[in-house]
Amino acid sequence: MSAREEILARVRRAVAGAEDVEIPRGYRAGRPAEGAVEGLVELFAERVDDYRAVVHVVPAAEVPAKIDACLGGRRVIVPDGFGRAGGWDDLDTADGVVTTCAVAIAETGTIVLDHGPGQGTRAQTLVPDYHLCVVRADQIVAGVPEAVARLDPARPLTWISGPSATSDIELNRVEGVHGPRTLEVIIST
Amino acid sequence: MSATFLGMPGNFPENSRKAVHDSQLRFNLRKATHTIRGKRASVVGELPDWQELRAAGKAIKEHTLRNLDRYLIRLEAAVTAAGGTVHWARDAAEANRIVTGLVKATGETEVVKVKSMATQEIELNQALAEQGITAYETDLAELIVQLGDDFPSHILVPAIHRNRSEIREIFLDRMPGVSPDLTDDPPALAEAARLHLRERFLRSKVAISGANFMVAETGTLVVLESEGNGRMCLTLPETLISVVGIEKLLPSWRDLEVFLQLLPRSSTGERMNPYTSMWTGAVEGQDFHLVLLDNGRTDVLADEVGRQALRCIRCSACLNVCPVYERAGGHAYGSVYPGPIGAILTPQLRGMSSELDASLPYASSLCGACYEVCPVAIDIPEVLVDLRAKAPHAAAERAGMKVAGWIFNDHRRLARAQRAATRLRKLVPKRLPGPLSAWTDTRDVPEIPEESFRDWWERNERA
Amino acid sequence: MRVALFITCVNDTLFPGTGKAVVSLLRRLGCDVDFPAAQTCCGQMHVNTGYREEGVRLARHFTEVFAGYDAVVAPSGSCAAMVREQYPKLARPGSKGAAAIAEVAPRVYELSEFLIDVLKTEDVGAYFPHRVTYHPTCHSLRGLHLGDRPTRLLRNVRGLELVPLPGAEECCGFGGTFAVKNPAVSAAMGADKTRSIMDTGAEVLCAADNSCLLHIGGTLSRQKTGVRTMHLAEILASTEEAQ
């Protein structure tokens, strides 16, 4: 018998006669209706700031200027579809990366990349030490369930909540290990 | 890492006795567990629907386990359709053989690893080393453990038993090229690890990971982490091999909405961990292999009481609140799974034929703190008690328990035993002999009263 | 109301004063108290140490002895939790034993539950002019979910100054046979608990379980701290006249 067949047979033997259970979804009852929540931008900004990431809330028209100000003289990767000219090509020597995102989560201060247009490859948002992410206000959802519902599992997804960190030394949080040590977020309203 | 947990001598009482007397270890553990306890309580308290999430988490896992065959087949189909290759391993040896073969086929002799409990459980690093392949742990705590030729002592933070100055010493001794001016400031230590691993990440062609979750419906694997070492390993190498226990399944994509709330808050005490990677099959040109691991899990599944241990999502909240773990430390459990969850998982996965494994179900005061914080409501005390009934018992203890049972079976016998104790009350020594000396080493014995309650009642009330 | 006192084997043998206190307290509150003489032990030690067969026999004995009472009151959170929480897991579903357990178990109360939930009283008219700290034992806290019932009762005791115990919810390290099977860890937990107790400056440590007090009290006494241990029932039974 192959390992596959044997494991499946063992599983079937092990659970024979066991009762199945209903999954209570009571947690969904309290979820806010899409679009019905006030203050998502403020909550998202506050929660991102809790991770010691830098947050700017800027009217849409002023975003390009804000990006310029944030990037300063950095050599920055600009992924295809971001809509900005120029950009550095060499991953190993880049100082940073600027991207959009797929979804952002207010309750947890999380941005999610699905690496579609404007978001670059997974490596492009990982290797450089600085990540600037532009989030549109309409991309911000209340919580994790709303984000999961919006995402496409067929795409590679990267959930980012603040800069790289570790709690491995005495369980105290230290920012900056292998991922970008600085995360900056522009919320476009 | 040459250290291995399998076949470790000793037993829990003996191992923990040594740990209790190590004041540095006691200090490190107390500080760390109390820090994380507070953080967890605060972020769990933020969610008004925590108990509903917990109930859903428990039920999703129960339902998955009940239908595990169906969901495994579905997962296999989804991963295969997305360009991945699925392998099945009955036990540790088979899993190690598969992984070693896959690495050898690439021609590489070095691999980078994301922290993974499953690969520790099967002692993959040793198996790779025997075939001339060096595995580099990239999680900071795992690196500390590996460089120190040490054992992990916690599921989430394997180097919890080390404080900053001990970590500095290990880095100075064992980390090639480290600056002799390295301080014990945690950011400086993290920076040293960053520099040490940077080149390795950029040049490694093969990575090995585990996974926190696998979604049957879509074939998606999910890894939660903090440092970015996981993203490095999952993203940069050409070949990715993930070794995952068969119980890590979730039926549907939407089920992640429950577990991505339960796990980070229970584990690191954060609203969300810094990085979560999700991928489905072979992504961005990578070669992807999934090794599904049984290694005793189907035996656990067959146990009506014990199978709830398979719901575990390895958050380690139970370790952080456990008063026994806090004082004994992780090494005393002699397993990659320490603490309360280890005390019920290890004896089920390995059996109770060794003295150490047979002592684990007793490594608890049954205080219930673990059950209270468990995000998937594993009734750990219930499983401990069930395992105690199956554990081998010493002959003297068995005889003593039989006598006690015989006395308790009839109130007249109990009354006679109480009167005998009363007659001998003046003769009870301050230090008791035999196994009871364990009591009187640190505690006084109570005075035996002149009369039991039942005799008092009989004398005063029965009339 | 026909109330049976389930004294528990530890109280019966080592702490008869606790039993006498329960009897006088319940009578003061107008209850008719009976002590079924055939009672022995709930079987917790056997079950929790891995001797299920003996434990099941004792559980069967318990359900026979206490059948037919309106309420069974135990001055022990641990033994009450054994009957209410663990007994239902001992019997085969649908069996005669399961039916007997379902009949008796819900009517078993720990003392503070009985006073507050059944007798609906928080002030039992007690007087105890001392500085007291309260340790919520694990099985009363996490097994029975007694919450603040015991401290609500203590707050209504005249003259009593209740001081909070730091780290109160942490186990004292008793754990039944755990105390002798893992003596080093048990003693370390006990030492930390006694340190917290000393930090409160209390004269008396109170709890709803004499088994835990046996361990903490034995440690306090060995360290010659001068702090006394008293069961909740004994404080609640104290009156001005008696003092």
Side-chain angles (χ1 to χ4, degrees):
Chain A
M1 213 194 284
S2 72
R4 179 184 188 275
E5 291 316 311
E6 191 169 335
I7 292 170
L8 290 172
R10 285 182 194 169
V11 166
R12 286 173 190 134
R13 256 198 320 274
V15 299
E19 275 181 43
D20 208 342
V21 293
E22 283 290 309
I23 297 165
R25 300 282 182 178
Y27 64 92
R28 279 184 186 160
R31 300 305 310 173
E34 183 99 358
V37 207
E38 298 282 312
L40 280 187
V41 168
E42 293 72 20
L43 182 63
F44 175 67
E46 177 199 308
R47 295 284 155 96
V48 172
D49 180 74
D50 275 354
Y51 296 124
R52 277 172 263 186
V54 186
V55 191
H56 312 275
V57 183
V58 175
E62 295 169 27
V63 167
K66 191 71 200 174
I67 293 174
D68 287 339
C70 289
L71 295 182
R74 286 189 177 95
R75 294 174 298 188
V76 173
I77 292 177
V78 180
D80 291 343
F82 185 80
R84 183 187 160 93
W88 194 257
D89 285 334
D90 181 38
L91 188 60
D92 291 341
T93 54
D95 298 322
V97 60
V98 58
T99 69
T100 58
C101 72
V103 176
I105 307 170
E107 280 173 8
T108 60
T110 303
I111 52 178
V112 186
L113 309 181
D114 69 6
H115 304 282
Q119 298 172 48
T121 63
R122 296 183 296 171
Q124 285 177 328
T125 46
L126 172 64
V127 176
D129 203 19
Y130 169 89
H131 182 187
L132 176 64
C133 185
V134 181
V135 178
R136 285 196 325 268
D138 65 357
Q139 291 180 309
I140 304 174
V141 296
V144 173
E146 293 77 22
V148 169
R150 277 202 192 185
L151 291 165
D152 175 5
R155 304 199 60 84
L157 300 170
T158 306
W159 296 44
I160 298 170
S161 307
S164 157
T166 182
S167 299
D168 281 347
I169 303 167
E170 300 177 12
L171 275 172
N172 280 315
R173 189 179 159 105
V174 172
E175 273 91 21
V177 196
H178 304 295
R181 283 181 286 192
T182 307
L183 174 69
E184 202 158 351
V185 176
I186 297 174
I187 305 170
S188 161
T189 57
Chain B
M1 191 169 64
S2 57
T4 164
F5 269 122
L6 280 176
M8 222 183 194
N11 55 52
F12 187 81
E14 190 50 34
N15 298 347
S16 58
R17 190 183 58 77
K18 288 177 201 140
V20 159
H21 294 114
D22 182 341
S23 57
Q24 179 70 63
L25 176 66
R26 285 280 295 280
F27 180 85
N28 295 353
L29 283 171
R30 184 181 167 82
K31 182 161 182 273
T33 54
H34 284 248
T35 302
I36 191 109
R37 236 182 253 186
K39 286 166 69 177
R40 177 204 162 270
S42 137
V43 295
V44 164
E46 257 179 21
L47 290 188
D49 56 353
W50 183 257
Q51 290 307 333
E52 282 83 19
L53 285 167
R54 189 172 178 247
K58 173 189 176 185
I60 291 168
K61 282 287 188 179
E62 259 184 342
H63 166 75
T64 312
L65 291 170
R66 175 62 190 83
N67 300 281
L68 194 58
D69 54 337
R70 193 154 62 79
Y71 287 128
L72 283 169
I73 292 168
R74 190 147 184 212
L75 173 84
E76 179 188 47
V79 170
T80 309
T85 309
V86 178
H87 310 259
W88 301 69
R90 278 166 281 221
D91 53 27
E94 188 164 27
N96 288 333
R97 219 161 37 236
I98 292 168
V99 175
T100 309
L102 289 169
V103 176
K104 280 186 158 175
T106 66
E108 295 294 314
T109 56
E110 292 185 354
V111 299
V112 282
K113 278 189 72 202
V114 193
K115 180 176 167 327
S116 134
M117 300 305 298
T119 60
Q120 281 183 27
E121 175 192 318
I122 61 173
E123 308 203 317
L124 175 65
N125 290 7
Q126 289 83 335
L128 289 170
E130 281 161 22
Q131 299 294 315
I133 300 160
T134 311
Y136 292 94
E137 294 291 349
T138 62
D139 169 75
L140 177 52
E142 292 286 1
L143 176 68
I144 295 164
V145 167
Q146 192 177 38
L147 288 174
D149 206 11
D150 197 356
F151 289 107
S153 70
H154 190 281
I155 291 173
L156 170 71
V157 274
I160 193 173
H161 56 292
R162 300 287 193 189
N163 66 14
R164 60 186 74 187
S165 68
E166 293 171 289
I167 295 167
R168 173 179 172 269
E169 289 303 317
I170 292 169
F171 281 10
L172 284 177
D173 277 1
R174 306 284 179 88
M175 190 182 268
V178 74
S179 159
D181 302 326
L182 180 67
T183 68
D184 67 1
D185 190 27
L189 295 169
E191 172 69 9
R194 177 186 174 98
L195 294 172
H196 172 69
L197 287 171
R198 197 77 184 171
E199 278 308 301
R200 178 127 16 242
F201 281 134
L202 296 175
R203 72 162 191 261
S204 288
K205 299 274 191 285
V206 182
I208 296 172
S209 84
N212 295 96
F213 306 105
M214 306 186 284
V215 181
E217 174 191 31
T218 58
T220 308
L221 269 73
V222 183
V223 166
L224 281 72
E225 52 134 353
S226 296
E227 296 168 11
N229 65 305
R231 293 177 67 193
M232 291 278 180
C233 293
L234 300 171
T235 308
L236 301 180
E238 292 159 10
T239 301
L240 172 62
I241 305 165
S242 299
V243 182
V244 189
I246 52 173
E247 83 285 16
K248 294 280 161 203
L249 265 184
L250 299 177
S252 73
W253 172 249
R254 286 293 296 270
D255 292 324
L256 284 173
E257 72 188 15
V258 174
F259 291 93
L260 290 179
Q261 296 192 75
L262 290 175
L263 182 51
R265 290 178 198 256
S266 299
S267 186
T268 51
E270 294 168 301
R271 294 186 182 110
M272 192 60 85
N273 50 296
Y275 299 133
T276 298
S277 299
M278 303 182 181
W279 72 99
T280 303
V283 178
E284 292 177 348
Q286 239 177 8
D287 193 10
F288 173 60
H289 295 270
L290 171 61
V291 182
L292 295 171
L293 177 71
D294 180 346
N295 202 34
R297 283 159 177 75
T298 46
D299 294 335
V300 183
L301 188 62
D303 188 302
E304 280 177 36
V305 177
R307 64 165 67 120
Q308 57 185 308
L310 295 178
R311 295 206 294 260
C312 177
I313 55 173
R314 310 284 189 263
C315 73
S316 68
C318 63
L319 278 65
N320 299 329
V321 297
C322 178
V324 176
Y325 174 85
E326 182 189 329
R327 289 162 184 90
H331 293 162
Y333 297 80
S335 161
V336 293
Y337 303 112
I341 186 65
I344 63 168
L345 203 49
T346 306
Q348 293 197 80
L349 288 172
R350 298 205 299 222
M352 289 189 275
S353 56
S354 82
E355 192 190 346
L356 176 64
D357 294 342
S359 71
L360 290 177
Y362 293 92
S364 166
S365 65
L366 304 179
C367 86
C370 47
Y371 178 34
E372 198 173 56
V373 297
C374 177
V376 286
I378 301 169
D379 191 341
I380 294 177
E382 180 189 19
V383 183
L384 286 168
V385 167
D386 193 63
L387 286 169
R388 288 176 186 188
K390 295 166 182 158
H393 300 144
E397 182 192 280
R398 204 165 52 232
M401 285 290 179
K402 268 222 138 56
V403 171
W406 181 76
I407 292 173
F408 282 143
N409 243 317
D410 186 325
H411 65 285
R412 284 157 300 203
R413 274 180 222 142
L414 176 58
R416 279 198 294 276
Q418 286 167 335
R419 282 177 216 133
T422 298
R423 277 195 299 278
L424 298 172
R425 60 198 280 264
K426 297 292 174 211
L427 302 177
V428 175
K430 275 253 172 263
R431 305 272 171 165
L432 296 172
L436 291 175
S437 66
W439 181 272
T440 52
D441 281 347
T442 56
R443 315 165 188 93
D444 285 343
V445 261
E447 264 188 54
I448 296 173
E450 286 176 36
E451 183 177 50
S452 68
F453 177 82
R454 69 177 61 241
D455 278 352
W456 173 82
W457 178 277
E458 193 62 37
R459 202 160 50 74
N460 292 277
E461 307 286 338
R462 194 59 72 190
Chain C
M1 184 184 279
R2 247 186 113 217
V3 179
L5 169 62
F6 167 42
I7 182 69
T8 83
C9 63
V10 167
N11 289 326
D12 181 13
T13 309
L14 293 174
F15 302 97
T18 297
K20 293 174 203 171
V22 177
V23 172
S24 90
L25 174 64
L26 292 183
R27 283 191 179 148
R28 198 166 82 213
L29 298 171
C31 294
D32 181 12
V33 185
D34 189 17
F35 177 77
Q39 65 177 284
T40 58
C41 165
C42 66
Q44 179 176 192
M45 178 183 74
H46 281 99
V47 170
N48 284 358
T49 311
Y51 296 83
R52 209 183 144 104
E53 206 181 302
E54 284 85 352
V56 167
R57 208 175 301 137
L58 294 172
R60 196 175 303 127
H61 182 70
F62 181 98
T63 54
E64 284 162 14
V65 170
F66 289 100
Y69 285 95
D70 298 319
V72 179
V73 179
S76 163
S78 190
C79 303
M82 173 68 191
V83 177
R84 285 228 309 262
E85 306 297 315
Q86 279 181 269
Y87 272 17
K89 294 174 188 167
L90 293 177
R92 226 172 338 101
S95 65
K96 235 163 70 186
I101 289 166
E103 179 67 24
V104 173
R107 284 184 279 118
V108 174
Y109 300 91
E110 181 277 334
L111 177 65
S112 71
E113 280 180 315
F114 182 71
L115 296 175
I116 290 184
D117 300 352
V118 180
L119 297 186
K120 313 279 181 204
T121 178
E122 294 193 11
D123 185 347
V124 297
Y127 173 76
F128 190 74
H130 296 283
R131 196 176 160 88
V132 175
T133 192
Y134 178 78
H135 167 62
T137 61
C138 298
H139 294 170
S140 65
L141 186 70
R142 286 177 283 266
L144 293 177
H145 303 284
L146 289 190
D148 63 352
R149 287 182 184 82
T151 47
R152 261 149 69 196
L153 290 161
L154 287 172
R155 283 209 176 83
N156 282 303
V157 174
R158 271 164 284 292
L160 186 147
E161 185 197 350
L162 185 66
V163 285
L165 177 65
E169 73 296 339
E170 280 183 45
C171 178
C172 70
F174 173 63
T177 47
F178 173 77
V180 286
K181 280 180 169 283
N182 282 284
V185 176
S186 169
M189 288 162 70
D192 289 344
K193 184 58 78 179
T194 54
R195 203 168 304 123
S196 303
I197 294 164
M198 297 309 291
D199 286 347
T200 65
E203 303 158 64
V204 175
L205 169 72
C206 174
D209 275 286
N210 274 328
S211 47
C212 305
L213 288 180
L214 188 71
H215 161 74
I216 308 174
T219 310
L220 285 166
S221 151
R222 175 60 60 85
Q223 294 174 358
K224 304 201 182 338
T225 58
V227 178
R228 281 188 293 154
T229 54
M230 274 177 89
H231 192 280
L232 177 67
E234 293 171 40
I235 292 181
L236 297 181
S238 304
T239 56
E240 202 146 5
E241 302 81 67
Q243 295 268 330

